[in-house]
Amino acid sequence: MQLMLISQGRIEPCNNLEAIPEGAFAWLDSARSEPAEAWRSLAERLTGKAIHDSHVRDACNAQHPSSFDNTADYEVIIFRGLLPSTGTHENESSMGMGPDGNYNYGPENACPFVINTAPACFILFERMVVTVRSDEAPQTEQVRKRLLSNAAKPPTCPEDLVQRVLNAMVDRYLELRLPLSQRLARWQKDLLDPSKPFHDWRTMLDQRVELHKLQQLCEEQRDAVAEWLDNQHDALSDAMNVRINDLLNHIERVLNHTESLERTAESAVQLHFSATAHRTNEIMRTLTIINAVFLPLTFIAGVFGMNFRIMPLLNWRDGFWMTMLFMLLLAASLVIYFKAKRYFAAKGATATV
């Protein structure tokens, strides 16, 4: 648990704060594994406001969806952010986020890109922000380190701080667009490759489940931020309204891209079955033509293969060669006829009946 005081363009740790000075606000950051009574009692002492038991339970609930709630004394925003374990879980060496802060995606098409999230709870008082998040929360850590190192301008109000953390969390979702698009592009290519059968059906179906889960997450996030904006619209400055609207636009971009990926996956499956049906039709047409050419030849061979003692042409000296010539001419005539009817259409052309 860390307590920071933000005032006059400065931010500094202040673990022994007795009261929040005028013109300043405090940020109390706590992990969900820490005792809830510790951050609750400190927040209530500094603000003089009581936190409802239901909101404390919501903050400690690791399965809580994104949502917004408010009371006369404070507001509660719960927003699910990506965990470092998000990614392709092929094995420990290719799982989740690497030491450089980028996601490891693992072998191509080995397993689905898993979306792992955890909620971060923001309790906004007039002059204090309480954040309760998972032990692994890279976005919150990133914002705090930037502020403490003076790499970013300190926030001017609690809403500004919450918007920055939420923006960092949404940016992580925006980073998912490239690996998800590449994965589906590989599947689409494999589905349409006639040289090898496609075997990743289970993985692809699992990926569609993950995409649907991401879509639901984005919808919940959008609703939570929209409710917060509607509740605070008149109290926020024009600049803050613009920045929160920009945050909503980022969530919409992730949502739209997720819906586009779902449509792409569905289209790839439909294209695969269409291509399979087309290849099957091509094979059946080839076999049908072969049968059509050899059927009359088989009939002639069958007639002359009958075991009758007296048959026309059996004693004819040139009967064999004349019959072979006739069969050859018949086969050539059928092939020419089929070519004229475009049954031997070039690849990609449409045959006529």
Side-chain angles (χ1 to χ4, degrees):
M1 186 171 64
Q2 295 188 10
L3 179 64
M4 287 159 284
L5 183 66
I6 304 172
S7 64
Q8 298 178 352
R10 294 183 306 167
I11 179 170
E12 55 185 0
C14 190
N15 293 324
N16 297 320
L17 187 65
E18 295 296 330
I20 302 176
E22 289 293 332
F25 69 94
W27 179 15
L28 178 59
D29 182 42
S30 175
R32 191 170 287 110
S33 59
E34 297 176 331
E37 281 304 318
W39 59 261
R40 181 184 189 178
S41 60
L42 180 57
E44 290 179 346
R45 179 173 62 83
L46 292 176
T47 61
K49 309 292 185 181
I51 301 177
H52 292 274
D53 292 338
S54 60
H55 291 150
V56 175
R57 289 194 297 270
D58 291 343
C60 297
N61 184 3
Q63 306 301 323
H64 202 287
S66 300
S67 63
F68 171 81
D69 195 10
N70 65 329
T71 67
D73 298 324
Y74 60 85
E75 299 170 329
V76 179
I77 302 173
I78 298 179
F79 197 93
R80 296 191 71 90
L82 290 175
L83 290 174
S85 58
T86 294
T88 301
H89 296 198
E90 176 65 16
N91 49 54
E92 291 298 325
S93 62
S94 64
M95 182 180 72
M97 186 181 294
D100 56 355
N102 296 320
Y103 289 112
N104 295 320
Y105 305 125
E108 290 187 358
N109 299 354
C111 53
F113 194 96
V114 182
I115 308 298
N116 287 329
T117 63
C121 179
F122 302 86
I123 304 178
L124 283 81
F125 295 93
E126 184 178 357
R127 297 171 57 197
M128 187 174 187
V129 177
V130 179
T131 56
V132 182
R133 37 80 182 176
S134 64
D135 293 344
E136 297 177 309
Q139 296 84 17
T140 307
E141 281 291 327
Q142 175 187 356
V143 173
R144 184 171 63 247
K145 288 180 179 179
R146 283 178 57 84
L147 292 176
L148 291 174
S149 63
N150 294 320
K153 184 178 179 181
T156 58
C157 60
E159 292 78 10
D160 188 4
L161 174 62
V162 173
Q163 186 273 335
R164 294 191 190 194
V165 179
L166 293 180
N167 194 61
M169 296 171 75
V170 173
D171 285 345
R172 281 295 184 186
Y173 283 97
L174 289 172
E175 293 175 4
L176 295 182
R177 294 180 300 172
L178 179 60
L180 287 174
S181 297
Q182 290 176 339
R183 175 165 291 267
L184 285 176
R186 288 196 296 266
W187 271 322
Q188 194 171 27
K189 182 179 178 180
D190 292 344
L191 281 167
L192 298 178
D193 187 358
S195 63
K196 59 181 180 180
F198 186 78
H199 297 295
D200 289 341
W201 288 110
R202 183 183 181 91
T203 305
M204 188 171 185
L205 292 175
D206 290 342
Q207 188 63 72
R208 292 181 64 185
V209 171
E210 292 298 315
L211 287 174
H212 187 66
K213 182 170 70 173
L214 179 59
Q215 179 183 355
Q216 290 182 317
L217 281 169
C218 292
E219 290 173 351
E220 293 170 355
Q221 291 169 348
R222 178 189 59 189
D223 294 342
V225 175
E227 288 185 44
W228 178 41
L229 180 61
D230 291 340
N231 187 72
Q232 284 287 336
H233 187 273
D234 296 333
L236 296 175
S237 64
D238 292 340
M240 279 303 305
N241 275 307
V242 169
R243 291 168 65 181
I244 296 178
N245 274 302
D246 185 62
L247 176 64
L248 277 173
N249 290 334
H250 285 186
I251 298 174
E252 286 286 351
R253 286 168 58 188
V254 179
L255 178 59
N256 292 336
H257 188 73
T258 303
E259 292 173 347
S260 175
L261 289 177
E262 283 193 287
R263 290 192 297 268
T264 300
E266 181 66 28
S267 299
V269 174
Q270 297 299 327
L271 283 173
H272 168 74
F273 287 118
S274 298
T276 301
H278 178 71
R279 288 195 295 270
T280 303
N281 290 337
E282 290 291 324
I283 294 171
M284 292 304 299
R285 184 173 65 174
T286 302
L287 293 176
T288 301
I289 292 173
I290 293 174
N291 287 332
V293 171
F294 281 91
L295 182 62
L297 307 184
T298 304
F299 172 74
I300 294 173
V303 169
F304 283 96
M306 295 179 181
N307 293 320
F308 292 107
R309 295 184 62 184
I310 300 175
M311 288 184 63
L313 305 179
L314 283 181
N315 297 320
W316 186 20
R317 185 184 63 176
D318 298 325
F320 172 77
W321 297 109
M322 294 300 294
T323 303
M324 292 296 296
L325 178 61
F326 174 73
M327 293 172 66
L328 181 61
L329 290 175
L330 180 60
S333 300
L334 289 173
V335 170
I336 293 173
Y337 173 77
F338 290 145
K339 291 198 69 172
K341 298 293 289 184
R342 297 182 63 190
Y343 290 171
F344 292 111
K347 189 175 181 180
T350 302
T352 58
V353 179

